[in-house]
Amino acid sequence: MTIETGSSKQRVLSGIQPSGNLTIGNYLGALSQWVKEQHRYESYFCVVDMHAITVPQDPATLREKTREVAALYIASGIDPQVATIFVQSHVPAHAELAWILNCFTPIGWLNRMTQFKDKAAKQQADTVSAGLFNYPVLMAADILLYQAHQVPVGDDQRQHLELTRDVAQRFNYLYGETFVVPEPMIRETGARVMGLDDPTKKMSKSEVDSQYHAVYLLDDLDWASKKIMRAKTDSYTDIRFTNDPERAGVNNLLEIYATITGQPHDAIEAHFAGKGYGVLKREVAEVVVEMLRPLQARYREITSDPAYLDGVLAQGAERASTVAERTLKLVKERVGFLPPYRRP
Ligand code: AQP
């Protein structure tokens, strides 16, 4: 049986947490793919503030970052007339479905999640929240509510996507076809941009120990360039793509260059043959800066009119709720909840 979505296009859903400053990793791994695919799919892009509170957040900063991330979606090229942009907490169906799915997700599945282990390890054991543990179930709810066929994410989200598929299949097996089982859409280059200060670690917006870790989308352009010029490399001299962990820094710079320029690996290696790391860094810095320049100009334009963003988010919440509530209603019927109470 195919699940009726009421659209001739397949659906896409993805989101980013407003848990810090968006990095070029978020852009290259996720956002740039969303922009590319928005016309091909019926797309839903949310700012996942409910995910963000799985680790401590300052309320005023969370509000500010939620708007900033939404504006960055538009500045990156998501057209709110084409795709639905919304804030997760504006659509209560996410929390409701997450609870129901929690009741169908074995703890053993969640115990295997590496992101939980990594994030829990950064906190004092007695402060790690149940929300952080259940994060992948909320993510499953986000995706399954919209009957998304494809989920464009970076490589770090692969395991959560697998869990989403498992949860959907389990529910479908128990109650009959209810959810589309989604596929990950993970790009070949740029799916895992590494830290500039430590290329063995993923570039992450919440990694704030070193000021040289990441380039942020709203960084001053000279400062962004300086960070790339200081990126960790190695003591070899040749410039080529490699899996050698000792050379992860150079490989990371080449991957960033390849993702932005779209050039094939052999052409890039030929271009840099015989050149030094200084040239590599300078040219990577140039392409990053030229990518950020128009994005930042659009961001300034969007944020100069707060009412415009309010309107986009209000319209997005309306559109998203309509779709989400349809799925939630079906799920509630399937599990045996009474129909909604109506005032006599
Ligand atoms: N370094 C990266 N390379 C490629 N893609 C990345 N993504 C994140 N980092 C990289 C992708 O960006 C999207 C947003 O992710 P998220 O905000 O939901 O959380 P995350 O995956 O945990 O990303 P961060 O930046 O590391 O956030 P924090 O530090 O708050 O946990 C996802 O599609 C992700 O794959």
Side-chain angles (χ1 to χ4, degrees):
M1 182 185 137
T2 50
I3 290 153
E4 195 45 66
T5 61
S7 166
S8 56
K9 286 183 178 173
Q10 288 205 336
R11 293 231 179 99
V12 145
L13 176 125
S14 202
I16 297 182
Q17 299 180 76
S19 46
N21 298 322
L22 261 55
T23 71
I24 57 168
N26 298 128
Y27 180 82
L28 297 176
L31 263 170
S32 63
Q33 273 213 95
W34 306 356
V35 174
K36 191 162 143 253
E37 302 293 348
Q38 64 182 322
H39 294 277
R40 209 164 125 211
Y41 295 92
E42 184 187 322
S43 304
Y44 295 83
F45 299 122
C46 50
V47 183
V48 289
D49 53 348
M50 289 161 62
H51 281 278
I53 61 162
T54 56
V55 296
Q57 302 290 344
D58 169 66
T61 310
L62 181 63
R63 269 188 286 275
E64 183 197 317
K65 292 291 163 194
T66 301
R67 291 180 69 83
E68 183 177 299
V69 173
L72 279 170
Y73 286 2
I74 306 169
S76 300
I78 306 287
D79 179 349
Q81 296 312 322
V82 173
T84 299
I85 298 175
F86 67 103
V87 175
Q88 184 186 30
S89 65
H90 285 169
V91 182
H94 289 250
E96 286 191 76
L97 183 62
W99 175 256
I100 296 172
L101 296 181
N102 265 313
C103 301
F104 294 90
T105 307
I107 290 177
W109 293 3
L110 294 175
N111 274 332
R112 291 202 290 269
M113 296 295 113
T114 54
Q115 182 174 292
F116 172 72
K117 289 179 199 160
D118 293 346
K119 290 201 169 176
K122 288 185 188 158
Q123 294 178 48
Q124 274 189 314
D126 58 353
T127 64
V128 175
S129 72
L132 188 63
F133 186 65
N134 291 317
Y135 178 115
V137 185
L138 178 59
M139 179 164 157
D142 300 337
I143 297 164
L144 300 181
L145 269 180
Y146 298 89
Q147 306 288 6
H149 302 83
Q150 300 282 338
V151 185
V153 283
D155 185 60
D156 62 316
Q157 294 299 330
R158 197 184 285 276
Q159 195 185 33
H160 288 164
L161 240 299
E162 267 312 311
L163 184 118
T164 300
R165 287 171 56 81
D166 290 343
V167 173
Q169 279 161 345
R170 185 181 173 98
F171 196 95
N172 287 350
Y173 172 76
L174 292 170
Y175 291 106
E177 291 296 305
T178 306
F179 297 122
V180 168
V181 180
E183 298 284 341
M185 186 194 276
I186 298 177
R187 60 187 308 167
E188 277 169 21
T189 58
R192 188 176 280 264
V193 177
M194 308 306 284
L196 297 173
D197 60 331
D198 177 357
T200 62
K201 279 196 198 156
K202 187 193 78 145
M203 185 182 283
S204 211
K205 67 175 115 61
S206 62
E207 185 71 56
V208 288
D209 288 348
S210 159
Q211 55 175 338
Y212 298 106
H213 170 71
V215 170
Y216 302 111
L217 297 185
L218 296 176
D219 265 346
D220 168 82
L221 296 177
D222 286 340
W223 175 226
S225 195
K226 278 202 187 82
K227 288 197 259 191
I228 294 171
M229 294 307 292
R230 284 193 53 140
K232 186 162 182 226
T233 49
D234 52 52
S235 51
Y236 295 80
T237 50
D238 58 327
I239 298 177
R240 59 185 172 81
F241 290 89
T242 167
N243 291 329
D244 181 349
E246 263 190 69
R247 309 206 57 199
V250 167
N251 192 64
N252 190 37
L253 291 171
L254 286 169
E255 285 285 346
I256 293 171
Y257 188 87
T259 315
I260 297 174
T261 63
Q263 291 174 24
H265 285 194
D266 51 357
I268 294 172
E269 287 179 348
H271 173 73
F272 286 113
K275 295 180 183 154
Y277 288 169
V279 174
L280 170 67
K281 288 177 175 177
R282 200 167 57 240
E283 293 202 23
V284 173
E286 275 166 19
V287 295
V288 168
V289 162
E290 290 320 313
M291 173 182 86
L292 296 182
R293 197 188 301 281
L295 187 152
Q296 293 188 358
R298 280 198 299 271
Y299 177 82
R300 284 192 292 270
E301 224 175 279
I302 293 156
T303 50
S304 68
D305 179 6
Y308 168 72
L309 191 61
D310 291 342
V312 167
L313 296 180
Q315 184 193 46
E318 283 285 327
R319 284 199 223 149
S321 295
T322 306
V323 177
E325 279 165 19
R326 205 178 302 142
T327 304
L328 185 64
K329 180 170 177 284
L330 176 65
V331 171
K332 286 180 172 175
E333 281 166 18
R334 294 264 154 108
V335 299
F337 290 174
L338 288 176
Y341 169 77
R342 293 200 199 294
R343 225 176 257 278

